[in-house]
Amino acid sequence: MIGRLAFSLALLALTGSASAENPAEHPADCRTAEVQPERNFALPQTARAIKAKQLTVMVVGAGSSLLPGAEGNKSAYPARLQQALQAKLKGVEVKVLTNVKASRGAAEMVKAMVPELSTNKPALVVWQTGTVDAMQGIDPDQFSQALDKGINIARSAGADVVFINPQYSPRTESMIALGTYAENMRWVALQQEVPLFDRFSIMKVWADLGTFDLNSATKKLDMAERVHDCIGRLLADLVIESAKSRAPPGEVGR
């Protein structure tokens, strides 16, 4: 049941009626001046990797990190993140790896993180979580403890962390109470000085402004691809700005 609901949530939040135009032609649609990071915490390991001209990022996530179909991986936000980082970081080899599995909560992600960190040695872990824990009714304190544990494990392995909170969908807002988990995620991010990519608020602004019609439910994937493209672009901006906080002048994004 949870697996089917998670897949439905991903489609409901990210699909709608839209033209099949190239997402790259619409970068202006991504801009959300109304949503700014609460604190622009530094990413020192990421800055060092950029200075060394080799940046490896690992995305750890659940179903909303994916798009369905044979070509889904190429259009999902991890691939778009790699494309955007590569375009902005001239001369830097950028590799974005994924450890993504539907219907997986934060505690399960922590377990999966350990061997990935050891094998791939990323400079940055992008951690998208919260929705599955809310759906399963995981104790909020246990959710926060899993977040703390994951951050500590990543940092011990020499990696920075960026959080991505749950996605927003007006069609599923009444089905899942995300507020407590989103607030716990924000609080852990502040305590641990982890940048938070506020996907929930960004997508709500898009819905309110009519940038994307998130109320529509169709089987078209063109809007989903555009949303993922925007998330990848904005996430790349956050990573680069946070890396600049601890980088020598001129070393990041020049």
Side-chain angles (χ1 to χ4, degrees):
M1 173 64 182
I2 288 174
R4 289 196 298 273
L5 180 55
F7 181 75
S8 298
L9 286 171
L11 284 182
L12 287 171
L14 295 178
T15 58
S17 58
S19 64
E21 297 171 278
N22 187 343
E25 295 175 0
H26 298 277
D29 287 351
C30 303
R31 301 303 153 196
T32 51
E34 298 86 347
V35 181
Q36 298 292 339
E38 187 166 344
R39 293 287 298 276
N40 191 29
F41 294 118
L43 297 174
Q45 301 294 346
T46 305
R48 292 188 186 100
I50 292 171
K51 184 179 179 181
K53 305 297 183 184
Q54 191 164 22
L55 174 62
T56 300
V57 180
M58 183 173 73
V59 175
V60 178
S64 61
S65 302
L66 302 166
L67 282 174
E71 299 296 313
N73 288 343
K74 295 180 180 179
S75 300
Y77 80 77
R80 293 300 189 178
L81 171 63
Q82 176 170 311
Q83 185 180 57
L85 287 173
Q86 191 69 75
K88 292 171 181 290
L89 299 172
K90 303 300 184 183
V92 178
E93 181 185 349
V94 178
K95 182 188 299 182
V96 175
L97 309 172
T98 57
N99 185 295
V100 175
K101 185 178 180 181
S103 305
R104 187 170 60 172
E108 294 175 276
M109 293 182 190
V110 172
K111 294 177 182 177
M113 222 183 271
V114 176
E116 293 283 352
L117 288 165
S118 176
T119 301
N120 297 305
K121 297 179 171 53
L124 173 64
V125 173
V126 174
W127 191 1
Q128 171 255 306
T129 191
T131 301
V132 174
D133 291 86
M135 289 165 57
Q136 293 178 340
I138 299 298
D139 182 273
D141 288 338
Q142 292 182 7
F143 174 65
S144 296
Q145 290 167 14
L147 296 178
D148 279 323
K149 185 176 180 179
I151 292 168
N152 294 335
I153 288 172
R155 286 177 170 169
S156 295
D160 298 320
V161 177
V162 167
F163 279 163
I164 300 180
N165 64 7
Q167 62 186 344
Y168 169 78
S169 168
R171 293 177 57 82
T172 59
E173 196 172 17
S174 62
M175 296 168 60
I176 305 175
L178 292 172
T180 299
Y181 299 87
E183 179 62 20
N184 281 27
M185 205 165 183
R186 185 191 70 82
W187 182 242
V188 171
L190 288 172
Q191 286 185 313
Q192 292 269 23
E193 299 189 354
V194 165
L196 171 66
F197 183 81
D198 192 356
R199 180 174 57 163
F200 185 91
S201 296
I202 289 170
M203 292 183 69
K204 190 173 190 308
V205 168
W206 286 338
D208 292 342
L209 294 178
T211 305
F212 297 106
D213 182 7
L214 302 180
N215 282 293
S216 295
T218 75
K219 293 187 178 181
K220 294 182 180 179
L221 294 177
D222 48 348
M223 180 174 285
E225 291 173 359
R226 290 177 64 197
V227 170
H228 273 248
D229 182 66
C230 282
I231 289 172
R233 291 173 182 273
L234 294 175
L235 183 54
D237 289 343
L238 173 64
V239 168
I240 291 172
E241 287 302 313
S242 298
K244 283 181 179 177
S245 299
R246 288 284 177 88
E251 289 292 349
V252 176
R254 60 184 178 183

